[in-house]
Amino acid sequence: MDLSQREKLKKDLQISEDLLPTKQEERTWKAGNFASIWMGSVHHVPAYASIGGFFVLGLSAIQVFWVIMVAAAILAFVLIINGHAGAKYGIPYSMLLKTSYGIKGAVLPGLLRGCIAAVMWFGLQTYAGSTAVTILISKFWPAYLQLGGDFRFFGIDLPGLISFTIFWMINVLFIFGGINILGKFTKILSLLIYIVFGGMAIWAIKLAGGIGPILDYTAKGIEGNSVLVFMGCVTAILATWAAPITNVSDFTREARTAKDQIIGQSLGIVITYILFAVASISIIVGSEIAFGTPIWNVLDVVDRFDSSFAIILSIVTICLTTLSSNVTANIFPAGYQLAALFPKKLNFQTGGLITAILAFIIMPWKLMENSTSIFTFLGIIGGLLGPVIGVMLADYFIIRKKELNLFELYSEDGQYFYKNGFNPSAYIATVVAGGIALIGQFVPFFKPLYDISWFVGTFTAFGLYIILMKLTKKRFGEIRPH
């Protein structure tokens, strides 16, 4: 898209600059930026807790290691291929979605990922990070924990509310800093991650009496089909990444070249997950050997350190990894999606700020009181995002052969208009694949499908979309409004 076309779109459609393809001279992210961007999304409290669940299922330390590495390899591959369009054309996820779902049809899957899931996770991640802020402040000011006495604001005490507000405001600052600030921030954070979580692993290994006892850890044994359990654990890791996989083009659009995002994401995901595997397994198994009970919460690990400096450094790093995950997986996709929904009224900053405000209004500390319903809801959203990924990949690689017409994409009545602005094939594939992936949650007979729901949803939607598009002859360039 040349300069004259950009200016014409901005004038005729009054579209935000944030939604237009990133100019080549503004694409500054190198492999190192991509290698560091996802580190905060790997090392966070819920991720370590999930590994503890794998041991509960009966997996050994070696089996858990291979679960993590298989998931990491698949994750890196999917991030790279779904990020191809962003690197090639410089377009955000909210615009890429229109090529498969239609100019108007992109609204629903966009809302699902960019708004509903983002707001929920923004609130929950901010609350999780605020608990670390409370611990950090109390280390310097013990009386902080007694502020307000019995005061409660819809279920949260005054110290918790103050900590949440502080951490929320820090997140908001990144909205106005932009994506380039995030790239610089994660480069600094990457060093801290290796120091802190590497240190935790060394501490746990020493507690266990060396690496030998950890490797020799005797699991209780897997009950049922071991292959299905193994793949179910892989699915659990991938499901937590369903949202970032969907909107990865929001980041790859900043890549200098396709090679930068390929090398950067490959090394960043795989190397980070090697450290994560070593640290999580060492901490959980090492603490069980030393204390008789596994420690799944890294904040509990930090609390056992005998050095104030180590405690402070570790808590600060955990806060920063939570912040990085929140900004990467929630703020940016929500900001771009809202800007795409209301291009004449909102830009990225206002969209991100609305997301942050909504995340505060939903009072995530109240949502945490009923974790079963919340995570069931988020699990359903994750199960539906798999099919969205499948549709996007099938459309871009199989139907369109990686060729997009950018000017038509930004036109309100171009070849991506489909039928009345919607692509029925995409919606049918998404709903059917999502139903198949999630039915096991409600019908016990189909539980094996639910256990590997991400794979079922993604591959079913991928194949079904191709079949439907070929049957209806809705190929690239053939659908125009009447």
Side-chain angles (χ1 to χ4, degrees):
M1 181 180 291
D2 58 32
L3 183 60
S4 62
Q5 290 177 317
R6 294 177 68 92
E7 293 303 317
K8 178 176 174 57
L9 286 175
K10 291 172 67 176
K11 180 181 179 180
D12 295 347
L13 301 180
Q14 298 180 358
I15 193 169
S16 169
E17 181 73 27
D18 296 324
L19 298 179
L20 293 175
T22 307
K23 298 175 183 177
Q24 189 60 50
E25 62 270 21
E26 295 177 351
R27 300 183 192 182
T28 58
W29 280 32
K30 303 177 183 178
N33 295 100
F34 287 101
S36 60
I37 187 69
W38 298 122
M39 285 188 175
S41 298
V42 173
H43 293 277
H44 52 80
V45 176
Y48 278 80
S50 67
I51 301 303
F54 298 165
F55 284 105
V56 171
L57 291 175
L59 273 67
S60 67
I62 297 298
Q63 288 171 325
V64 171
F65 176 83
W66 283 113
V67 162
I68 295 172
M69 297 318 301
V70 168
I74 296 172
L75 173 60
F77 175 73
V78 180
L79 283 171
I80 289 169
I81 61 174
N82 208 33
H84 186 279
K88 183 177 181 179
Y89 295 101
I91 55 177
Y93 156 71
S94 54
M95 297 306 300
L96 177 61
L97 202 60
K98 295 182 178 183
T99 64
S100 52
Y101 284 87
I103 299 298
K104 297 179 180 179
V107 171
L108 185 57
L111 282 173
L112 183 67
R113 189 302 169 234
C115 299
I116 299 175
V119 167
M120 297 290 288
W121 277 116
F122 185 107
L124 293 173
Q125 287 275 46
T126 301
Y127 178 68
S130 72
T131 59
V133 171
T134 299
I135 295 174
L136 183 62
I137 295 176
S138 66
K139 291 295 180 182
F140 294 95
W141 182 22
Y144 178 69
L145 297 177
Q146 278 72 51
L147 286 180
D150 295 330
F151 169 82
R152 290 290 185 276
F153 178 77
F154 290 99
I156 190 172
D157 58 20
L158 184 59
L161 181 61
I162 294 173
S163 296
F164 181 85
T165 304
I166 292 172
F167 196 63
W168 179 87
M169 292 177 66
I170 294 173
N171 278 268
V172 169
L173 290 177
F174 275 84
I175 297 173
F176 299 97
I179 197 166
N180 288 325
I181 295 297
L182 176 62
K184 296 175 182 178
F185 166 72
T186 53
K187 277 192 171 182
I188 298 173
L189 177 60
S190 62
L191 177 61
L192 288 175
I193 287 174
Y194 280 102
I195 293 174
V196 170
F197 289 97
M200 288 185 185
I202 294 172
W203 172 82
I205 290 171
K206 286 185 176 180
L207 277 180
I211 193 67
I214 293 177
L215 294 177
D216 293 337
Y217 170 78
T218 302
K220 71 175 186 179
I222 299 173
E223 296 181 5
N225 189 313
S226 59
V227 174
L228 185 61
V229 172
F230 184 93
M231 292 308 299
C233 293
V234 171
T235 300
I237 294 177
L238 293 174
T240 64
W241 283 85
I245 291 171
T246 309
N247 72 282
V248 66
S249 58
D250 286 340
F251 303 98
T252 56
R253 68 188 299 225
E254 306 293 332
R256 293 187 312 167
T257 64
K259 185 177 180 181
D260 282 308
Q261 75 102 355
I262 293 172
I263 295 176
Q265 294 204 96
S266 297
L267 295 178
I269 290 294
V270 174
I271 292 176
T272 302
Y273 261 112
I274 290 175
L275 172 61
F276 173 77
V278 172
S280 60
I281 293 171
S282 298
I283 290 170
I284 293 171
V285 177
S287 60
E288 182 169 0
I289 293 173
F291 306 122
T293 180
I295 300 177
W296 296 354
N297 190 328
V298 289
L299 290 175
D300 293 336
V301 173
V302 172
D303 195 46
R304 292 178 180 265
F305 290 169
D306 55 10
S307 167
S308 296
F309 174 77
I311 291 173
I312 293 170
L313 178 63
S314 299
I315 291 176
V316 168
T317 301
I318 291 169
C319 286
L320 293 178
T321 58
T322 304
L323 174 63
S324 175
S325 177
N326 221 1
V327 173
T328 303
N330 300 315
I331 291 177
F332 280 98
Y336 283 126
Q337 186 59 45
L338 285 174
L341 290 175
F342 307 99
K344 298 180 181 180
K345 297 182 179 180
L346 301 179
N347 57 22
F348 163 75
Q349 282 80 11
T350 52
L353 186 58
I354 289 172
T355 302
I357 293 172
L358 290 174
F360 202 119
I361 291 174
I362 65 172
M363 296 182 290
W365 55 87
K366 292 291 292 182
L367 298 176
M368 293 291 283
E369 292 177 353
N370 190 354
S371 60
T372 301
S373 62
I374 289 302
F375 286 106
T376 297
F377 171 71
L378 293 174
I380 291 174
I381 291 179
L384 291 177
L385 286 179
V388 173
I389 295 168
V391 167
M392 292 175 67
L393 292 176
D395 184 79
Y396 181 69
F397 285 98
I398 306 301
I399 302 301
R400 308 196 183 278
K401 310 295 183 185
K402 299 181 289 188
E403 296 296 328
L404 302 178
N405 185 320
L406 293 187
F407 193 75
E408 290 277 311
L409 176 60
Y410 286 86
S411 301
E412 293 184 336
D413 58 354
Q415 60 188 270
Y416 303 104
F417 193 80
Y418 292 97
K419 184 178 181 180
N420 299 320
F422 294 82
N423 182 1
S425 296
Y427 270 82
I428 293 172
T430 301
V431 172
V432 172
I436 294 174
L438 296 174
I439 190 173
Q441 185 177 16
F442 311 101
V443 182
F445 179 79
F446 294 103
K447 188 177 182 302
L449 294 179
Y450 180 71
D451 290 338
I452 53 172
S453 59
W454 187 87
F455 289 100
V456 172
T458 301
F459 283 104
T460 301
F462 184 91
L464 184 57
Y465 180 78
I466 294 172
I467 294 172
L468 290 172
M469 289 293 281
K470 290 185 179 297
L471 287 177
T472 55
K473 297 182 179 179
K474 295 187 175 183
R475 296 173 180 270
F476 174 68
E478 292 182 6
I479 301 178
R480 298 182 181 277
H482 298 293

